[in-house]
Amino acid sequence: MGKAVELLDRLLTFPLPTVAAINGHAFGMGALVALACDYRYMRADRGYFCLPEIDLKVTLPAGMMSLLKMKLTPPVLRDLLLTGRRIGGAEAMRLGIVDEACAADEVLPNAISRASALAAKDRETFGAMKRSINQL
């Protein structure tokens, strides 16, 4: 397993809440890191979520493709991978890519609030649940 896939797997199975605060662009590996988090908050007015590999003429390793298949619906996955299209925050929320699209000054506070609400959960149980949900 490559180092990038190891990082994604570690995020997927980390026994504490992981929350992505996307305050700009999330392209390629940045998009994958965001998807590996438990929750995602994205700025509504600026920034794009994009998987540009088609235009870069590169394919994704199996572990990265497994993550995408786990986190995105088949039509969204197909569209993002085959077009390299850039998705804004509001559309990313509509498509289920992010949990919330919010104003720039709300991205980090909302992400912190979500993480704080989950922080008291039992670490062992939380980790076991995440491993069950997110097996690559």
Side-chain angles (χ1 to χ4, degrees), residues 31-129:
L32 291 167
V33 167
L35 286 172
C37 290
D38 300 318
Y39 296 92
R40 290 163 293 286
Y41 292 81
M42 184 174 180
R43 190 170 166 172
D45 65 335
R46 227 179 139 139
Y48 294 108
F49 183 96
C50 179
L51 298 171
E53 286 76 11
I54 188 80
D55 296 321
L56 300 173
K57 300 178 183 172
V58 297
T59 58
L60 294 168
M64 291 179 181
M65 188 60 74
S66 293
L67 167 65
L68 292 171
K69 288 179 178 179
M70 180 187 341
K71 297 287 186 159
L72 302 173
T73 65
V76 171
L77 175 62
R78 178 204 59 219
D79 186 42
L80 290 178
L81 283 181
L82 298 182
T83 67
R85 188 163 72 90
R86 297 172 180 195
I87 306 293
E91 186 176 9
M93 187 173 122
R94 185 179 59 77
L95 295 173
I97 297 168
V98 300
D99 296 287
E100 186 177 332
C102 42
D105 62 343
E106 296 175 352
V107 174
L108 187 57
N110 288 358
I112 291 171
S113 177
R114 169 59 78 179
S116 296
L118 296 171
K121 302 294 183 190
D122 178 71
R123 184 178 184 156
E124 186 176 326
T125 306
F126 201 87
M129 294 287 196

